[in-house]
Each structure stands twice: as C-alpha cells, then as structure tokens.
Amino acid sequence: MKSSKKSAGNIKKFTTPPAPGKSEKKVRNNTTSTLFDGMERHFMQKSNLYLILIVTTAALLSFLCFDVKISTANDDALYIEAGARYAKNFFAKESFYLANAPLYPTLLGIIIKIFGVNLLILKSFSILFFCSGLAILFLGLRNRIPYLILIPSLLLTAINFPFLMYASLTYSECLYLLMIGITFYINYKCFDKIEETSDSIKGQLFPAILLGFTGFLLMITRNIAAIAIIPVLLYLLYRRKFIASGVALVMSIFMYFFYRFIVKIIWQVDQSQYEGQKLIFQKDAYNPALGMETPWGYVIRLVENAQIYISQRFMYVLGFGQEISQNSIGITVISVAIILWALYLMIRNHQNTLLYSTLFFCCLLGASFIALQTSWGQTRFIMIYLPLILMSLFYIVYYYGTKLVFLQYLYPVILFIFFISSFKLTFSKIGERFPVFLENLKGDPTYGYTPDWQNYIKMSKWCAENMPDKTQQIAVRKAPMSFIFSGGKEFYPIYGTPAEDADSLLTPLRQANVNYFMPAELRANPDMYIENQIIGTIHRYMYYIMVKYPNAFEFVHQEGDLEKTQLYKINWNYIDSLKSN
C-alpha cells in the first residue's frame, strides 16, 4: 500500500484481507474468495464477540489457576511490603520504592490503604490488569492488522499458563501488559496524527510529546523499559519523521528529570530506581568479589541469555518443552532468523503497525538479554511479550498464505497445534493448583508449600508472636516473605555476603541493631529436596563470623527437623570481649 501519509499501519478497516503490498481496491475487485478471506470476514464480523471471549476466557482460567499463596521467589512479597509502606505513610522518605520501577508498589499502596494486606484482593487486581491489558491491546490493534493475526495471538495469550500463573501473583507482569496495551493504543494514534500532519511541524508537536510521555510511563512500570523510547525513535526515523523523533526523545528525557525533581521535592529522595540495579554490572550477582562485567562479558551474556530464554523459556511458554531444559543453539538461531525475516517482510510491505510492535519486543528483549544475569533465567522476562511475538510469527504465515493460496490451509493446522499445546499445559496445571487453592481458602495458608517453606513460615509467625517488637532485629534471607506471614512485621534482609572478614560483616549488623539470625534450609532446587543443596546466604554469612568468633551465636528456637528453620541470638558481649583482648 502506498501510503506514507495515511496511517501508521497499512491495513485499516478492510472488509476482506488484502495481500501485503496490494491495495484494498484491488482486493475488493477480486472475485475469488479464499480461506483467508472467509476467516477474516468471520473474525471481523464477530470481533466484539471474540473480544468478550478473550477477556472471559482469561478471567475464567485465571480463577481456575489461582494461587492465593505468596510466591516463594521473593519479589511477590517484596512488592506487597513496599506497598504497605506507601499505605502506612505515602509521603514518607522511607516509603518511596527504589528497588525496581515504582508504579506497581505505588498502586498496591493505594489498594492496601483501602483493603489492607489482603492477598486475595491484591491478587485479584493482577487478574484485572491481565484481562484489561488483553482488551486494550485488542482495541489498539483492531483494524490495523488482520484479525487472522490479532485474535489467535490474544486468545493464545488468554489461555497461556505462565501468564495465568502471574495473573494470581503480585508481580508487575500483568500491570506491564496493561501499560503496553495503553501505550500502544496511544502511540498508534500518535503515529497516525504525525503521518496526517507530516507537512506541519506544529501538527506533529503534540503527538510527538505524547510519544515521549508513553515512554516515561513504561519506564516507571518496568526498569528495562527505560529503552522503550528506542523502538519509537527507530520507527519514526524509518518513516522519516525526524522532527517528531527529536521531540519524542527530548520529551522522554525531560520527563525523567522532571520525575526525579518531583520525587526529590515530595519524598526528599535524590535517587533513581536504577541505583539499586548494580547487580547487573557485576560478573556474578551474588559474588561482588569477582568484580565488574567486561564489554566482552556482556556479549557472552547476550548470547547465553538468548539461548536460555528463546530455546528454553519461550518453548515452555508455548507448551513445547520443560521450563528447565538444555539450551539449543539451533532453535535460538532459527527463531532469531524468523523474527528478522518477519521484520524484513514488514518493511518491504509497509506493515507499519506490526513493524513497531516487533521493534518494541526486539529492543526490550535484546536489552534484557544484555542486562540480566544468566543465573536468573526467569520465564516472565520473555513471557510478557508473548502476544507481540505471536503476531510477528503469524504474520509470516499470513504473508505467504496470501501469495500461495494452498498455504492458507496450513495456518489452521499451525493454530491448532499452538492451541492444543497451550491447553495441555494449562489444564494439567489447573489439576494441580485448583485443589490447593480450595484448601488455602479453607484456612490453611501453608498448604501447598514444600516442608522447607512451611518451616520458614512457622518460624516467621513464631517470631511475630513471641518477639513482636524485635523482628527488625532478626536477619533473614527472605524478609518480604517473613513480612507477609508475620502479619506485617519488618525483618532485616540479607541478600548476599559482601565480604569474608567477620568484622566487616558484623559492622552493618551492629549499625542496624541486628541481634538475631534466622538461617533456613530453603531448597536451592524448589522442586525437590537434595541434601545440603540449600540457599546458603545466611549460613555462609554466619560461617564467616564463626571462623573468627566460634561462639558468636546462641540457639533460641527451631521449626522442623528436616529442612528446618532456626533462630540464633548474636552474642555481642562475647564478640566484644574477644575484640578487647
């Protein structure tokens, strides 16, 4: 389609699906009706029903996959703890969240202020964000790309188990999906306006400012989305909208510094959400002694993460493999080649709507692969872009189907395979999770946890009941989890062992008035108990202290025998007596 000045995408309110590169007029004059024509016509005529189907399916399956328990991965409880601080004193300096992007804990703070720390309600908002995100993505993309691509992509996302799992967790994933939907809706409108007023600098000014603002919205939702302005700039430069790209970039930068200024004025915090992200610059996230990452190290990290996330995690998201499996260079290279070929076809055929969405996830994933430590490997970091990735993949089949009609019969087969694999994974997980959910609702909050976590939860509760005014003096590995299960008591967090020298390790504890350690035998592999394979951060911290001060700790209490959690008191008098000698 010729239209450099018509719209951001070249498929706009068509009645039958035009072949890429052909005008709608030519398609209407074509008397031959193909399979794609019939399917597209059906989806278009029933589009509102399919929107309702997508949202209700997502809501229903989210309920069936619902997990009222808090995730053991820590971030789940971390956001709630941060939200509780906002709820307690919204404008207090210590309330402002710096560990990650602040929008989600800020919203949680408002919810907690109204409903309290109610896990069921907090998790229900994740479902709301998930369903709303799908709906707004649909509204933002309809009449811009073929319904043959849009509806299957969003339906597959609605039934996708990893997404459904995060729909009942208090992670930021579902809010991020919603913000992607909102910003896409706004950005495409802005692209349209810029195209329509390409001869007027004044006409391009406001939509370009909005584009910079949407980049800021994504940044305060997700740290990695600081680069969300880059796909916007790449798209505008490709469209030769140089003034608009410059305005969008300046606005994005301005919003960041204006945001920092507001935070400093209101919360008296002169820091950004990125100052706590120093782990990404280390060679090893948990061993700072190894030093900082080198430029070549980042290249290696990019390659290794690409294999982890594409050949392992994304195949699991699609239902084609286990979450933890062997890396496959072949799958990784082929997958990257397919996306690059899709980009080429989009550029050649002026499929600008899909071009922007593909640039978006490519830029964000590329930055993630460079920034993330390879030891993390969390599925959610690629899962969140599932609907956008599916649209790019399905576009290739759609394109060649319009060129070679017999290939159109391959598309339903591909969709069938994708839907079957997704349903198989989702319903197998429903069978595991729903009975646990029902037991939790009956009043047993520890049901469904492994014994190591059951003991950790019991110890957190014991501390809250027997030492209600001293929990901040207790050093633990999973402080947010202890916060949740102690009824909102704060504990002292330890996430690493910064040194091996006993006195260096004791100094921050003394300064923070820490008097207890709570070592727990939490499994290194959550799926199975393997003797001596535990998260040993607290044990290691205590060990280095005991090398110099053998009797530094006094036993206080224990929960469980195998996979136990213990409580020890620091014998400061003994330590000081040895120092004085």
Side-chain angles (χ1 to χ4, degrees), residues 65 130 156-157 159-169 173-174 313-319 323 379-380 382-384 386 422 425-426 429 433:
C65 290
F130 176 46
L156 280 167
T157 305
I159 67 170
N160 181 261
F161 170 71
F163 250 117
L164 295 167
M165 180 183 74
Y166 280 97
S168 65
L169 296 177
E173 267 59 35
C174 292
R313 305 303 191 266
F314 191 64
M315 291 300 106
Y316 168 72
V317 169
L318 295 177
E323 188 170 16
T379 301
R380 61 194 178 101
I382 193 169
M383 171 210 76
I384 193 64
L386 174 65
S422 293
L425 176 61
T426 297
K429 295 298 183 179
R433 295 165 69 90

Side-chain angles (χ1 to χ4, degrees), residues 444-447 449-466 481-482 485-486 491 518 557-566:
D444 184 359
T446 66
Y447 187 86
Y449 284 112
T450 50
D452 54 331
W453 276 106
Q454 289 178 346
N455 292 328
Y456 187 93
I457 291 167
K458 291 176 183 177
M459 179 62 81
S460 298
K461 289 183 174 181
W462 187 91
C463 291
E465 293 168 0
N466 294 275
M481 291 289 289
S482 294
F485 287 104
S486 64
F491 289 69
M518 197 176 99
H557 184 68
Q558 178 172 316
E559 291 288 347
D561 294 315
L562 189 66
E563 303 184 270
K564 60 186 177 291
T565 298
Q566 299 172 306

Side-chain angles (χ1 to χ4, degrees), residues 11 14 16-18 34-44 138 141 143 145-156 354 390-391 393-395 397-399 401-402 408 411-412 415 419:
I11 299 179
F14 49 88
T16 56
T34 66
L35 176 64
F36 275 10
D37 293 335
M39 292 176 68
E40 184 66 34
R41 194 176 299 111
H42 167 77
F43 282 135
M44 183 173 62
F138 183 97
L141 290 168
N143 297 325
I145 66 174
Y147 286 102
L148 266 172
I149 295 174
L150 176 61
I151 289 175
S153 298
L154 295 184
L155 265 176
L156 280 167
L354 286 168
L390 289 175
M391 290 173 198
L393 296 176
F394 293 160
Y395 170 69
V397 183
Y398 175 83
Y399 171 79
T402 58
Q408 294 186 14
Y411 191 48
L415 292 181
F419 274 100

Side-chain angles (χ1 to χ4, degrees), residues 197-375:
T197 60
S198 58
D199 296 329
S200 168
I201 295 176
K202 184 178 179 181
Q204 295 183 54
L205 193 60
F206 181 69
I209 288 173
L210 268 182
L211 290 172
F213 180 72
T214 60
F216 165 74
L217 285 180
L218 288 171
M219 183 203 73
I220 61 173
T221 307
R222 191 86 161 202
N223 276 353
I224 197 66
I227 69 155
I229 191 64
I230 291 180
V232 171
L233 298 178
L234 290 175
Y235 177 83
L236 291 173
L237 291 173
Y238 160 72
R239 299 296 297 163
R240 298 182 178 277
K241 308 303 178 185
F242 303 114
I243 293 174
S245 65
V247 172
L249 176 60
V250 170
M251 181 61 181
S252 179
I253 295 172
F254 168 77
M255 283 303 304
Y256 172 75
F257 286 104
F258 181 69
Y259 155 73
R260 289 284 304 273
F261 172 74
I262 293 298
V263 169
K264 186 175 181 180
I265 294 297
I266 296 177
W267 282 277
Q268 288 84 50
V269 174
D270 191 17
Q271 292 177 287
S272 78
Q273 64 204 55
Y274 296 100
E275 292 183 32
Q277 303 298 307
K278 296 178 181 178
L279 293 179
I280 67 175
F281 299 108
Q282 297 174 188
K283 289 185 176 180
D284 188 304
Y286 306 107
N287 189 357
L290 294 178
M292 309 306 285
E293 189 62 273
T294 63
W296 181 244
Y298 284 113
V299 174
I300 295 174
R301 191 186 292 185
L302 170 65
V303 173
E304 291 182 350
N305 272 329
Q307 293 181 62
I308 292 170
Y309 285 97
I310 295 173
S311 68
Q312 288 190 43
R313 305 303 191 266
F314 191 64
M315 291 300 106
Y316 168 72
V317 169
L318 295 177
F320 294 144
Q322 298 297 317
E323 188 170 16
I324 308 296
S325 57
Q326 291 294 319
N327 288 343
S328 171
I329 297 176
I331 291 176
T332 304
V333 171
I334 291 171
S335 300
V336 171
I338 289 173
I339 296 300
L340 291 177
W341 185 249
L343 274 170
Y344 167 73
L345 293 176
M346 292 167 194
I347 292 171
R348 193 179 76 175
N349 295 289
H350 310 292
Q351 295 290 323
N352 298 322
T353 298
L354 286 168
L355 175 62
Y356 170 69
S357 66
T358 304
L359 285 173
F360 180 84
F361 77 75
C362 286
C363 289
L364 272 293
L365 279 178
S368 297
F369 294 166
I370 293 172
L372 296 172
Q373 295 280 355
T374 55
S375 59

Side-chain angles (χ1 to χ4, degrees), residues 41-55:
R41 194 176 299 111
H42 167 77
F43 282 135
M44 183 173 62
Q45 292 172 350
K46 306 292 184 183
S47 62
N48 289 335
L49 288 177
Y50 276 101
L51 172 58
I52 295 171
L53 176 64
I54 289 167
V55 174

